[in-house]
Amino acid sequence: MMNIKKLIKPFLDLVFPATCICCGASTEASGKSICNWCRHDRFEKAELVTKEILPAGVHFQFSLWMFDKGGYLQKLLHDLKYNFMMGVGEELGNLAGIEFLKSAEEEILKNLKVQRVLIVPVPLHRKKERERGYNQARAIAAGFSRSTGWDLLEKGVISRVKRTKTQTGLSLTDRSENLNGAFQINRKAHFHGAYVIIIDDVYTTGATSFELAGALLADGVTGAAIVTVAKA
Ligand SMILES: [Zn+2]
């Protein structure tokens, strides 16, 4: 039988050349949509945070990279949000998982080993998800789940019930007020005794993930953590 993929590959390469989705460099032969330089060296690595700026019950915050305003990463994250790049989101989440396991302190990993860990993507409001076609946080979470082996929360367990205004320009206090009651947990027993790792694309003030963590902690999770691709 003829291999269709092999047959049409030269034509696909003509129309969609194998270039890095982030910087445009050639990714020929790597089979990845992000080039090795972007994957490993282009962006500044972010440090894992376990300190007092996190609310009670939230144990650590990890981001793959520091946000580069006006740069390649900003454009990539924008494209990820609006251009239905499921595969790229998964690739970024997978990379975040690999880096997390490599750089997290022994104590954190030891604690996670004895927990039932659930990977929880920050849900989008139903209308917003319909407009965009998918939730970029879920794509990242799927990749993170693949490289860490922790279970990805199925769809529909949590909903975003409040269509919040844009957070830009609001202080942390105003942001949390804006987000108050934004999430609704539909299947409560699901979380009892679990440890949740909340996944989003960008960590700015943390208001969104803090609100979600608060709702889950009130519902009986043993602890929460936040992982994102970028940190502003
Ligand atoms: Zn690149």
Side-chain angles (χ1 to χ4, degrees), residues 20 22-23 35 38 42:
C20 174
C22 188
C23 73
C35 75
C38 286
R42 185 184 296 281

Side-chain angles (χ1 to χ4, degrees), residues 45-48 60-64 92-114 117 119 141-151 195 197 199 225-228:
K45 293 215 157 69
E47 260 173 57
L48 187 113
F60 66 87
Q61 187 279 321
F62 174 80
S63 298
L64 180 57
L92 289 169
N94 186 57
L95 193 57
I98 293 169
E99 288 301 321
F100 170 71
L101 293 177
K102 242 198 275 178
S103 62
E105 293 140 42
E106 199 54 43
E107 205 179 314
I108 289 178
L109 296 175
K110 246 205 245 148
N111 176 42
L112 290 173
K113 233 173 227 164
V114 298
V117 180
I119 309 294
F144 191 80
S145 163
R146 184 151 49 90
S147 51
T148 58
W150 291 314
D151 287 338
Y195 188 101
I197 298 184
I199 308 274
I226 300 159
V227 171
T228 66

Side-chain angles (χ1 to χ4, degrees), residues 19-25 27 33-39 42-43 72:
T19 55
C20 174
I21 201 109
C22 188
C23 73
T27 54
S33 30
I34 301 168
C35 75
N36 277 332
W37 192 26
C38 286
R39 289 170 69 85
R42 185 184 296 281
F43 305 116
Y72 287 122

Side-chain angles (χ1 to χ4, degrees), residues 53-55 58 172 198 203 205-215 226:
I53 47 164
L54 299 172
V58 178
L172 183 54
I198 296 169
Y203 181 87
T205 59
T208 310
S209 359
F210 293 170
E211 176 67 27
L212 180 54
I226 300 159

